[in-house]
Amino acid sequence: MKKINAVLGVSALCVSLYAQTPAELIKKAKDSGLQPLPSGKELKDYQMQKIKEGKIAEGYAAKLTPAQIELGKKLYFDPRISKSNLISCNTCHNLGLAGVDLVPAAIGDRWQPNPSHLNSPTVYNSMFNDVQFWDGRSHDLGDQAKGPMENPVEMANKAANIVERITSIPAYVDEFKAAYGNNVKIDFKLIADTIALFEMTLNTPSRYDDFLNGNAKALSKEEQEGLNVFIDSGCTACHTGINLGGSMQAFAVVKPYKFAQVGGFKGDANGMVKVPTLRNVMETMPYFHNGQYWDIKDAIKEMGDIQLGQEISDKDAQKMETFFKALTGKYPTITYPILPASTNKTPKPVL
């Protein structure tokens, strides 16, 4: 009997040592660098800081006004900023599809695939990335918005033609005046910056954020277990911060990436690659920079192999997938805008 009691005592000790309360897991997550989406005044302050750092709409007093956001939304959905009049920001970053296009490689002007077979990252929560683009070449959304418009295999337009198209439409000119004042100078930078202001509103708070903010019941027991496995596996070395990603990190540090040859993308000059956000990850397949995995469990196991040097079991991959479902957030309500009509002065599309 004493021996049995002793065994039971050891078992109870083990349980007490390894049992983890929600409060302890929340602390563990925050100690690992995970942060909830800001809200209220904290969110506004964050947006203003990002605007200041990126010099978004510099020289104009008010920022993120309803008029600016609505104008930015129209520009985001307007295909006339492309050479062909067929491609808008929403084409590759579809707000009805978690901000992506659900194809392995982005398709642009004249149905050209991205030459490096790069996958379109989600636009949702993109404000919380440290950098933009897979090679991290932009540090703010305003600068990022310029790139696709002039890229020959994306929208394939020219800055001067974009400005001419927008300013040829009196309704757009009036909306720019309403957004920035009668003395507004409508140039390429302000067009891109206005799109960026709209994008700054595309944030998706989730139950995961509620949990980090102290609501112990926001995540189920299984989701909490998945979060714990996620942390213990070392995933937060890269997938950390507000966006569970968004910074530049070394890629394939232990083993080569299985599909590295698809597109041949090598990252930036130092071989660093932007870590994709895990927010809404269950809806942003296919995964990796070249979109080679459609099942999140396969992507998890590949990352464990090439980044962490460990074999993640099917069981643990399933647990992490369960946690990832809690990262699907509440999408903002987006009403598709009626765009202002072109005029006889509006430059014609080039097909």
Short mmCIF file of all heavy atoms in Angstrom, two decimals, residues 138-161:
data_model
loop_
_atom_site.label_atom_id
_atom_site.label_comp_id
_atom_site.label_asym_id
_atom_site.label_seq_id
_atom_site.Cartn_x
_atom_site.Cartn_y
_atom_site.Cartn_z
N SER A 138 10.43 47.15 -48.62
CA SER A 138 9.67 48.32 -48.19
C SER A 138 9.41 48.24 -46.69
O SER A 138 9.15 47.16 -46.16
CB SER A 138 8.34 48.42 -48.93
OG SER A 138 8.52 48.81 -50.27
N HIS A 139 9.44 49.40 -46.06
CA HIS A 139 9.22 49.44 -44.61
C HIS A 139 7.89 50.07 -44.23
O HIS A 139 7.58 50.19 -43.04
CB HIS A 139 10.37 50.17 -43.93
CG HIS A 139 11.65 49.40 -43.92
ND1 HIS A 139 12.04 48.61 -42.86
CD2 HIS A 139 12.60 49.25 -44.86
CE1 HIS A 139 13.20 48.02 -43.13
NE2 HIS A 139 13.56 48.39 -44.34
N ASP A 140 7.10 50.48 -45.22
CA ASP A 140 5.79 51.04 -44.90
C ASP A 140 4.82 50.74 -46.03
O ASP A 140 5.22 50.45 -47.16
CB ASP A 140 5.88 52.54 -44.64
CG ASP A 140 6.29 53.33 -45.89
OD1 ASP A 140 5.41 53.66 -46.69
OD2 ASP A 140 7.49 53.60 -46.05
N LEU A 141 3.53 50.81 -45.72
CA LEU A 141 2.50 50.44 -46.68
C LEU A 141 2.40 51.42 -47.84
O LEU A 141 2.03 51.03 -48.95
CB LEU A 141 1.16 50.33 -45.97
CG LEU A 141 0.99 49.12 -45.04
CD1 LEU A 141 -0.34 49.20 -44.30
CD2 LEU A 141 1.06 47.82 -45.84
N GLY A 142 2.72 52.69 -47.60
CA GLY A 142 2.67 53.66 -48.68
C GLY A 142 3.68 53.34 -49.76
O GLY A 142 3.38 53.35 -50.96
N ASP A 143 4.90 53.03 -49.36
CA ASP A 143 5.94 52.66 -50.32
C ASP A 143 5.59 51.34 -50.99
O ASP A 143 5.81 51.17 -52.20
CB ASP A 143 7.30 52.57 -49.62
CG ASP A 143 8.43 52.30 -50.58
OD1 ASP A 143 8.70 53.16 -51.45
OD2 ASP A 143 9.06 51.24 -50.48
N GLN A 144 5.05 50.41 -50.23
CA GLN A 144 4.68 49.12 -50.80
C GLN A 144 3.62 49.28 -51.89
O GLN A 144 3.68 48.61 -52.93
CB GLN A 144 4.16 48.20 -49.69
CG GLN A 144 3.86 46.77 -50.13
CD GLN A 144 2.51 46.61 -50.82
OE1 GLN A 144 1.57 47.34 -50.50
NE2 GLN A 144 2.41 45.69 -51.75
N ALA A 145 2.66 50.16 -51.67
CA ALA A 145 1.57 50.32 -52.63
C ALA A 145 2.05 50.80 -53.99
O ALA A 145 1.41 50.52 -55.02
CB ALA A 145 0.52 51.27 -52.07
N LYS A 146 3.16 51.50 -54.03
CA LYS A 146 3.69 51.98 -55.31
C LYS A 146 4.18 50.83 -56.19
O LYS A 146 4.02 50.86 -57.41
CB LYS A 146 4.87 52.93 -55.07
CG LYS A 146 4.54 54.23 -54.40
CD LYS A 146 5.84 55.02 -54.22
CE LYS A 146 5.64 56.32 -53.48
NZ LYS A 146 6.93 57.02 -53.28
N GLY A 147 4.81 49.83 -55.55
CA GLY A 147 5.50 48.79 -56.29
C GLY A 147 4.66 48.07 -57.32
O GLY A 147 5.00 48.04 -58.51
N PRO A 148 3.55 47.43 -56.93
CA PRO A 148 2.75 46.67 -57.89
C PRO A 148 2.21 47.51 -59.04
O PRO A 148 2.05 47.03 -60.16
CB PRO A 148 1.62 46.10 -57.03
CG PRO A 148 2.19 46.05 -55.65
CD PRO A 148 3.07 47.25 -55.55
N MET A 149 1.88 48.78 -58.76
CA MET A 149 1.30 49.62 -59.81
C MET A 149 2.27 49.81 -60.98
O MET A 149 1.85 49.86 -62.14
CB MET A 149 0.88 50.97 -59.24
CG MET A 149 -0.36 50.91 -58.37
SD MET A 149 -1.01 52.54 -57.94
CE MET A 149 -0.12 52.91 -56.43
N GLU A 150 3.56 49.88 -60.69
CA GLU A 150 4.55 50.11 -61.75
C GLU A 150 5.30 48.85 -62.17
O GLU A 150 6.06 48.88 -63.14
CB GLU A 150 5.57 51.16 -61.29
CG GLU A 150 4.99 52.55 -61.14
CD GLU A 150 6.08 53.61 -61.06
OE1 GLU A 150 6.79 53.64 -60.03
OE2 GLU A 150 6.21 54.40 -62.00
N ASN A 151 5.08 47.76 -61.46
CA ASN A 151 5.79 46.52 -61.81
C ASN A 151 5.29 45.99 -63.16
O ASN A 151 4.09 45.80 -63.35
CB ASN A 151 5.56 45.47 -60.72
CG ASN A 151 6.44 44.26 -60.88
OD1 ASN A 151 6.45 43.60 -61.92
ND2 ASN A 151 7.20 43.95 -59.85
N PRO A 152 6.18 45.72 -64.11
CA PRO A 152 5.76 45.31 -65.46
C PRO A 152 5.02 43.99 -65.52
O PRO A 152 4.32 43.73 -66.51
CB PRO A 152 7.08 45.25 -66.23
CG PRO A 152 8.14 45.09 -65.19
CD PRO A 152 7.65 45.86 -64.01
N VAL A 153 5.16 43.14 -64.51
CA VAL A 153 4.42 41.88 -64.52
C VAL A 153 3.28 41.88 -63.49
O VAL A 153 2.69 40.83 -63.22
CB VAL A 153 5.35 40.67 -64.27
CG1 VAL A 153 6.34 40.51 -65.40
CG2 VAL A 153 6.06 40.79 -62.93
N GLU A 154 2.96 43.05 -62.96
CA GLU A 154 1.81 43.14 -62.07
C GLU A 154 0.77 44.07 -62.69
O GLU A 154 0.03 43.67 -63.57
CB GLU A 154 2.26 43.58 -60.67
CG GLU A 154 3.14 42.51 -60.01
CD GLU A 154 3.51 42.81 -58.57
OE1 GLU A 154 2.60 43.12 -57.77
OE2 GLU A 154 4.70 42.73 -58.23
N MET A 155 0.73 45.34 -62.29
CA MET A 155 -0.22 46.26 -62.91
C MET A 155 0.35 46.93 -64.16
O MET A 155 -0.40 47.46 -64.98
CB MET A 155 -0.67 47.30 -61.90
CG MET A 155 -1.47 46.72 -60.74
SD MET A 155 -2.02 48.01 -59.62
CE MET A 155 -2.88 47.04 -58.39
N ALA A 156 1.67 46.95 -64.28
CA ALA A 156 2.37 47.36 -65.50
C ALA A 156 2.09 48.80 -65.93
O ALA A 156 2.18 49.13 -67.11
CB ALA A 156 2.04 46.39 -66.64
N ASN A 157 1.77 49.67 -65.00
CA ASN A 157 1.47 51.05 -65.35
C ASN A 157 2.65 51.96 -65.03
O ASN A 157 3.67 51.50 -64.51
CB ASN A 157 0.22 51.52 -64.60
CG ASN A 157 -0.62 52.50 -65.42
OD1 ASN A 157 -0.12 53.13 -66.35
ND2 ASN A 157 -1.88 52.63 -65.06
N LYS A 158 2.50 53.24 -65.34
CA LYS A 158 3.50 54.25 -65.03
C LYS A 158 2.88 55.28 -64.09
O LYS A 158 1.69 55.59 -64.19
CB LYS A 158 4.00 54.95 -66.30
CG LYS A 158 4.64 54.02 -67.33
CD LYS A 158 5.95 53.45 -66.82
CE LYS A 158 6.62 52.60 -67.90
NZ LYS A 158 7.88 51.97 -67.39
N ALA A 159 3.70 55.82 -63.20
CA ALA A 159 3.20 56.77 -62.21
C ALA A 159 2.48 57.94 -62.87
O ALA A 159 1.38 58.32 -62.44
CB ALA A 159 4.36 57.27 -61.35
N ALA A 160 3.06 58.49 -63.94
CA ALA A 160 2.45 59.64 -64.60
C ALA A 160 1.09 59.30 -65.18
O ALA A 160 0.15 60.12 -65.13
CB ALA A 160 3.39 60.17 -65.69
N ASN A 161 0.95 58.09 -65.74
CA ASN A 161 -0.32 57.68 -66.32
C ASN A 161 -1.38 57.47 -65.26
O ASN A 161 -2.56 57.78 -65.45
CB ASN A 161 -0.14 56.41 -67.14
CG ASN A 161 -1.38 56.06 -67.95
OD1 ASN A 161 -1.87 56.87 -68.72
ND2 ASN A 161 -1.89 54.86 -67.74
#
